Amino acid sequence: MLPPHTPAPDPVREPWRASMRRALDEAARAAGSGDVPVGAVVLDPAGQLIATGHNEREATGDPTAHAEVLALRRAAGRLGAWRLTGCTLVVTLEPCTMCAGAVVQSRVDRLVFGALDEKAGAAGSLWDVVRDRRLNHRPEVIHGVLAEECAGLLTAFFRDR
């Protein structure tokens, strides 16, 4: 039995913590180049890492160079197919509408994210593009994995600007 002050393990979020830590490492790389610290990783159906990405808009001058889009592109390149069926996208921040659209279009089975984005989130907070019943694909969504750490990285980045 756990001591009274120890929270019970979360069986939904716990399996994704290690992957989210890898996404947090990617997010830190973005901050190093002046980009908003968002990181993403793509896991294959067996749970193995196949691609990573972090925001590179400032570094590349590309408005579409969001962590999720870059990670999905790299995963598709690695697999040789645009359909990422069976894959999981793990990202530190709730995807925006562009990235949520890319999640749907790539056919990933699962989206796991850390912090909510109440200003631009499109996976449940402001909009819910990924679960819109009018679309042909709706991935499973798991949110709140290491949410405080993910949000803290963003808060520190903007506080220091």
Side-chain angles (χ1 to χ4, degrees):
M1 178 158 220
L2 294 172
H5 63 281
T6 305
D10 181 342
V12 173
R13 290 169 184 82
E14 188 65 31
W16 307 107
R17 291 171 60 92
S19 298
M20 186 62 75
R21 290 209 184 285
R22 182 66 175 90
L24 280 163
D25 291 343
E26 282 294 314
R29 292 181 64 203
S33 65
D35 275 285
V36 175
V38 177
V41 300
V42 178
L43 309 174
D44 71 9
Q48 298 301 308
L49 180 71
I50 57 170
T52 63
H54 57 272
N55 278 358
E56 295 181 20
R57 291 184 308 170
E58 298 298 330
T60 64
D62 178 355
T64 68
H66 288 206
E68 302 95 322
V69 170
L70 296 173
L72 291 169
R73 283 180 187 159
R74 291 170 184 151
R78 176 116 186 249
L79 296 177
W82 64 267
R83 284 185 185 91
L84 301 179
T85 306
C87 293
T88 299
L89 173 67
V90 180
V91 62
T92 58
L93 180 65
E94 178 182 2
C96 68
T97 53
M98 176 183 70
C99 294
V103 166
V104 171
Q105 292 300 315
S106 68
R107 308 298 197 271
V108 297
D109 279 10
R110 186 176 302 104
L111 166 65
V112 177
F113 68 89
L116 290 171
D117 184 350
E118 295 178 6
K119 292 182 180 179
S125 63
L126 187 58
W127 295 287
D128 202 352
V129 171
V130 296
R131 290 179 282 208
D132 189 318
R133 292 187 181 279
R134 295 168 292 185
L135 298 176
N136 63 339
H137 179 74
R138 290 180 299 281
E140 175 186 9
V141 177
I142 299 170
H143 66 87
V145 177
L146 300 178
E148 289 181 16
E149 290 179 49
C150 294
L153 190 61
L154 290 158
T155 300
F157 176 81
F158 287 112
R159 181 181 56 235
D160 295 340
R161 289 198 111 25

